[in-house]
Amino acid sequence: MKILIAGAGDIGIRLGLLWAGPEHGHEVWALRRSAAKVPAPLRPFGADLTEPSTLDALPDDFDLVYYTAAADGPGEQAYRRAYVDGLRSILDRVLSPRRARPSRIVFISSTSVYGQSAGEWVDESTRAEPSSYRGRILLEGEALLGARGAAHGVDTVAVRLSGIYGPGRTRLLDSIRTGRAVIYDDPPRYTNRIHADDCARLLHHLGAVAAPESVYIGVDHDPATDGEVKTWLAEQLGVPAPPSVGDRPEAKAGGRRGGNKRCSNRRVLDSGFRFTYPDFRAGYGEEIRRLVAPPA
């Protein structure tokens, strides 16, 4: 099988190595601006998704396409370039009538498409009413993907991820270790996450599963509160628990509180996927052991 990973950053590279590794051995093309950063056995292709002309030499006839690009900076324009303009460029290329079309296109989205902010449970049937430009633009990208896929008879899957952590993603651990973290607990604020390894494994699974749904939420089993996560991490690191500061500043100022919902992964589990790190204790526990392990 011939596979394209468009926007091959950390997660895209992990995903590509799963498909191209000895267990599967597929031909995987990894598209990113810095092609020199693509490891073997992936096939590098240097291009800028926001510059359609740089895609002219991209090979044809991919069987499976992943769109795993991320915004290259903050702000609404950067998000639109990544999740709408870049996506449109890839769709124009791989869905061209002059080429064999892929059987499936998988798009990385985010749980920010849900605007719920009072600890509600959400799943794929919950109405997506984003409260930020991030969620609105991602939802626009999902709609573009769905419409183009339907017009060309191609399966499309949007995977709404939240809180990716793991090797190289230590910002939360660093804030706990250095005493910079605080706990928002009035009211308790729920958080959702997925380990980077499980994230790549889930994308691999959804690229192969028969008759996929059009949307999946990609989170682990435990939508724990901010205080629960940070207090446990402090205990494991042997440092004082972060202080509680009540609500987030934007909520105190009358703005809408973000990042306070409980996301269900039931549809992912029903598809047959099983997590290596089913909750933050399993995933962060391994990261902490790696941090404190003596040098070899």
Side-chain angles (χ1 to χ4, degrees):
M1 186 159 61
K2 188 174 178 182
I3 299 167
L4 171 65
I5 299 176
D10 174 48
I11 297 301
I13 294 296
R14 290 171 186 265
L15 169 64
L17 292 174
L18 288 177
W19 276 115
E23 184 177 352
H24 301 286
H26 294 291
E27 177 184 339
V28 181
W29 288 79
L31 184 160
R32 60 181 292 162
R33 289 193 183 98
S34 303
K37 295 181 179 180
V38 174
L42 306 185
R43 301 191 178 196
F45 185 85
D48 185 337
L49 289 165
T50 65
E51 296 290 340
S53 62
T54 66
L55 303 177
D56 288 346
L58 186 67
D60 295 335
D61 305 339
F62 289 103
D63 302 291
L64 173 62
V65 172
Y66 289 92
Y67 191 85
T68 60
D72 59 5
E76 188 166 351
Q77 289 186 341
Y79 260 68
R80 180 163 295 281
R81 286 195 302 270
Y83 297 112
V84 178
D85 299 339
L87 175 62
R88 183 179 290 109
S89 295
I90 283 292
L91 294 177
D92 286 346
R93 174 75 192 187
V94 301
L95 297 179
S96 167
R98 298 187 300 276
R99 298 175 177 86
R101 299 183 184 109
S103 60
R104 185 171 302 172
I105 303 173
V106 181
F107 171 66
I108 285 188
S109 185
S110 164
T111 59
S112 64
V113 301
Y114 300 108
Q116 287 77 4
S117 60
E120 304 98 320
W121 279 98
V122 302
D123 62 19
E124 293 84 354
S125 67
T126 304
R127 185 175 178 83
E129 296 180 322
S131 59
S132 69
Y133 71 81
R134 298 175 182 85
R136 289 193 295 271
I137 290 172
L138 283 161
L139 202 58
E140 185 178 341
E142 288 186 19
L144 171 64
L145 175 68
R148 294 289 296 276
H152 292 87
V154 174
D155 284 345
T156 61
V157 180
V159 189
R160 295 170 176 171
L161 301 171
S162 183
I164 303 172
Y165 72 100
R169 298 170 181 263
T170 61
R171 184 174 61 178
L172 177 56
L173 287 175
D174 293 342
S175 72
I176 300 287
R177 297 173 80 186
T178 58
R180 293 180 287 109
V182 297
I183 293 172
Y184 302 110
D185 61 355
D186 184 20
R189 184 169 69 90
Y190 287 95
T191 59
N192 305 268
R193 67 205 53 77
I194 185 170
H195 192 280
D197 288 346
D198 278 333
C199 182
R201 290 179 57 248
L202 174 60
L203 293 170
H204 178 272
H205 170 77
L206 294 176
V209 69
E213 302 283 353
S214 61
V215 177
Y216 291 88
I217 292 176
V219 297
D220 68 22
H221 300 352
D222 190 6
T225 66
D226 185 63
E228 184 180 1
V229 174
K230 291 175 178 175
T231 299
W232 186 86
L233 290 176
E235 290 173 353
Q236 303 306 303
L237 291 167
V239 300
S244 299
V245 297
D247 211 345
R248 299 178 73 177
E250 62 267 31
K252 292 179 180 178
R256 294 192 66 176
R257 187 184 304 109
N260 187 20
K261 52 186 172 282
R262 287 177 280 182
C263 297
S264 169
N265 65 7
R266 173 49 54 190
R267 178 174 287 183
V268 159
L269 296 177
D270 288 346
S271 76
F273 183 76
R274 295 297 176 262
F275 287 80
T276 302
Y277 304 103
D279 60 29
F280 73 88
R281 295 173 185 85
Y284 272 118
E286 182 154 320
E287 295 308 305
I288 291 170
R289 286 190 290 275
R290 185 180 292 114
L291 284 173
V292 302

